[in-house]
């Protein structure tokens, strides 16, 4: 093993974070004397000529094609065409950390790592998969989940996915099922779990009461000696439409709960800030008792992972996001788009409540996010095809029995027509 990896592991020894790492995670390090580090040193000290980095530079400024410049007038060449640091643009990392605290008052006084920039939440979940999972390990996932987890955890990491029923019989979060599944899935005293609220595909987020139960359950498992990695996929964070819904990230409850728990928040602007194609996301660690030095050691490992897989994330996207976050009136406009989705959500609720048709479709509980999901009493794939072919309407069929509708993508004035078509198509097929 590389000396630098051994050094980082020494810093982490005795923590749940270290115990939970995969072999790959243990081997990873950031090459302190590599090209990136030497370039960084030269950027400070090479006053005469800086012949380090693999970019074309003129007058100490990266060359930027005038056509590119014309399209990005608010950014300097250093902010657009330059390489970004592997862990991300420092000012953006600091700003995002501030934002995490602002949006999650429960984290007040809780020490966290500095967020690392990843290429979208997918890049973040994938990195965390590599750092903690591997053949022989199990990861607990709700049976209603984003399908990309299959490619990441099952196919890439070769971990065994263990599903628990997402909804309880009374239509809330099945906290007992989650905790039971976690306990039963422990291998060598280690448990890996991913939580995603608002949930894709159902659009469900838990109540404060449910979150309190999750928290108490995690604490009890940790006190039994289980080491827990809780991956929190916050892709749709903030899009909560009902009073009783818990309005923070569940990361806020887990990040300092117990020394046996390492929580990892994977979030980003993709859905929250409506910049789907930016390919920027963040990974932030929180674990009770972790020192700054230990957070830094984990971050260095992940930075090494990023260097080895992506090298770095999009520089223009990071700088656009940073400037947007710091710009006057930005948050108010962003919130107005949240309100737009909330309006669509209420329209969906209204249309479903007054329907007299489409009885083969049972909506699953939903109160947040971009989607709602129907359980189809019949073939969801047949329904999807009929909607596409006869009505020109695109929806998603999942697991053969669910039809996911992204109401986020349809203007409010068209919601009623959309759902009436769905109900009519279902009646034609299944009545
Ligand atoms: C639950 C969930 N997590 C993660 C992602 C990935 O986000 P990104 O586009 O930033 O990679 C998605 C995207 O659809 C998602 O639905």
């Amino acid at each position: 093993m590389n000396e630098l990896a051994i050094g980082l592991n020494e810093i982490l020894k005795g923590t749940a974070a270290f115990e939970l790492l995969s072999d790959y995670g243990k081997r990873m390090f950031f090459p302190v004397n590599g090209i990136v580090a030497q370039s960084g040193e030269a950027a400070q000290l090479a006053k005469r000529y800086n012949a380090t980095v693999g970019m074309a530079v003129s007058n100490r400024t990266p060359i930027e094609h005038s056509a590119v410049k014309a399209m990005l007038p608010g950014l300097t060449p250093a902010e657009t065409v330059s390489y970004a640091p592997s862990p991300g643009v420092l000012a953006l990392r600091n700003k995002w950390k501030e934002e995490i605290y602002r949006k999650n008052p429960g984290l007040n006084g809780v020490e966290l790592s500095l967020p690392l920039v990843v290429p979208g939440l997918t890049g973040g979940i994938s990195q965390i998969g590599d750092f903690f999972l591997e053949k022989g390990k199990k990861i607990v996932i709700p049976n209603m989940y984003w399908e990309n987890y299959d490619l990441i955890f099952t196919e890439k990491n070769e971990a065994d996915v263990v599903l628990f029923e997402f909804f309880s019989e009374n239509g809330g979060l099945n906290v007992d099922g989650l905790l039971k599944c976690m306990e039963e899935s422990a291998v060598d005293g280690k448990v890996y779990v991913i939580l995603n609220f608002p949930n894709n595909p159902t659009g469900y987020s838990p109540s404060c009461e449910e979150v309190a139960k999750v928290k108490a359950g995690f604490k009890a498992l940790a006190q039994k000696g289980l080491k827990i990695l809780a991956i929190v996929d916050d892709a749709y964070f903030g899009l909560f439409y009902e009073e009783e819904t818990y309005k923070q990230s569940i990361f806020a409850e887990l990040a300092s709960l117990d020394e046996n728990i390492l929580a990892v928040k994977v979030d980003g602007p993709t859905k929250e800030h409506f910049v789907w194609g930016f390919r920027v996301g963040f990974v932030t660690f929180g674990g009770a008792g972790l020192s700054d030095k230990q957070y830094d050691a984990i971050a260095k490992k992940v930075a090494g992972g990023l260097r080895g897989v992506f090298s770095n994330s999009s520089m223009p996207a990071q700088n656009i996001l940073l400037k947007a976050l710091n710009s006057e009136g930005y948050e108010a406009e962003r919130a107005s788009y949240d309100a737009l989705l909330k309006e669509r959500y209420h329209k969906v609720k209204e249309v479903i409540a007054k329907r007299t048709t489409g009885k083969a479709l049972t909506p699953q509980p939903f109160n947040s996010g971009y989607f709602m999901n129907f359980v189809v009493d019949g073939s969801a794939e047949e329904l999807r095809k009929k909607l596409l072919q006869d009505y020109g309407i695109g929806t998603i069929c999942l697991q053969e029995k669910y039809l996911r509708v992204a109401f986020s993508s349809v203007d409010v004035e068209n919601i009623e027509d959309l759902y009436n078509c769905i109900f009519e198509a279902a009646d034609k097929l299944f009545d």
Side-chain angles (χ1 to χ4, degrees), residues 108-126:
N108 199 356
V110 174
E111 293 294 331
L112 303 174
S113 77
L114 191 58
L116 292 122
V117 179
V118 289
L121 278 86
T122 309
I125 296 165
S126 188

Side-chain angles (χ1 to χ4, degrees), residues 120-123 125 146 149 196 200 233 235-236 270-271 276 279:
L121 278 86
T122 309
I125 296 165
W146 182 44
Y149 294 165
N196 163 230
N200 177 2
D233 177 347
Y236 301 89
T270 309
K271 320 270 182 183
W276 308 274
R279 311 320 303 145

Side-chain angles (χ1 to χ4, degrees), residues 259-282:
E259 293 198 353
N260 276 340
I261 299 173
L262 177 66
V264 193
K265 181 174 179 19
V266 186
D267 61 7
T270 309
K271 320 270 182 183
E272 234 187 280
H273 293 257
F274 312 102
V275 288
W276 308 274
F278 265 30
R279 311 320 303 145
V280 169
F282 297 88

Side-chain angles (χ1 to χ4, degrees), residues 259-402:
E259 293 198 353
N260 276 340
I261 299 173
L262 177 66
V264 193
K265 181 174 179 19
V266 186
D267 61 7
T270 309
K271 320 270 182 183
E272 234 187 280
H273 293 257
F274 312 102
V275 288
W276 308 274
F278 265 30
R279 311 320 303 145
V280 169
F282 297 88
V283 163
T284 308
F285 293 92
L290 288 175
S291 64
D292 286 351
K293 204 172 165 198
Q294 287 166 332
Y295 276 133
D296 187 54
I298 305 174
K300 283 205 172 97
K301 281 181 169 285
V302 177
L306 292 168
R307 171 86 175 130
V309 178
F310 312 108
S311 189
N312 50 73
S313 302
S314 165
M315 188 62 151
Q318 289 187 61
N319 283 305
I320 292 170
L321 178 64
L322 176 61
K323 283 176 196 273
L325 285 168
N326 286 324
S327 69
E328 185 84 28
Y330 176 79
E331 178 50 27
E333 185 173 334
R334 199 208 57 73
S336 76
Y337 301 132
D338 283 2
L340 194 80
L341 296 196
K342 187 172 179 177
E343 192 189 3
R344 293 175 190 180
Y345 159 81
H346 281 298
K347 187 73 194 170
V348 174
K349 285 270 168 180
E350 180 197 309
V351 171
I352 291 178
K354 67 175 193 207
R355 77 178 156 153
T356 51
T357 53
K359 293 295 181 207
L361 305 175
T362 311
Q364 290 185 307
F366 66 107
N367 53 17
S368 55
Y370 277 39
F371 312 108
M372 59 81 57
N373 207 38
F374 284 113
V375 184
V376 183
D377 188 6
S379 162
E381 177 58 6
E382 259 184 67
L383 177 57
R384 182 190 76 82
K385 285 220 175 95
K386 188 167 185 64
L387 282 165
L388 202 55
Q389 284 156 7
D390 298 357
Y391 294 82
I393 289 174
T395 52
I396 297 287
C397 157
L398 294 166
Q399 303 177 33
E400 290 162 25
K401 59 177 175 185
Y402 302 109

Side-chain angles (χ1 to χ4, degrees), residues 348 352 355 357-361 372 374 376 383-384 386-387 391 393-396 403-406 410 415-430:
V348 174
I352 291 178
R355 77 178 156 153
T357 53
K359 293 295 181 207
L361 305 175
M372 59 81 57
F374 284 113
V376 183
L383 177 57
R384 182 190 76 82
K386 188 167 185 64
L387 282 165
Y391 294 82
I393 289 174
T395 52
I396 297 287
L403 192 81
R404 191 190 74 178
V405 185
V410 178
I415 295 267
E416 186 150 15
D417 185 43
L418 165 70
Y419 278 80
N420 283 338
C421 291
I422 295 173
F423 300 148
E424 186 182 283
D427 284 348
K428 283 187 183 159
L429 279 177
F430 310 124

Side-chain angles (χ1 to χ4, degrees), residues 56-70:
V57 176
S58 187
N59 277 332
R60 292 205 158 238
T61 305
I63 287 173
E64 187 185 33
H65 198 293
S66 56
V68 173
K69 199 178 185 61

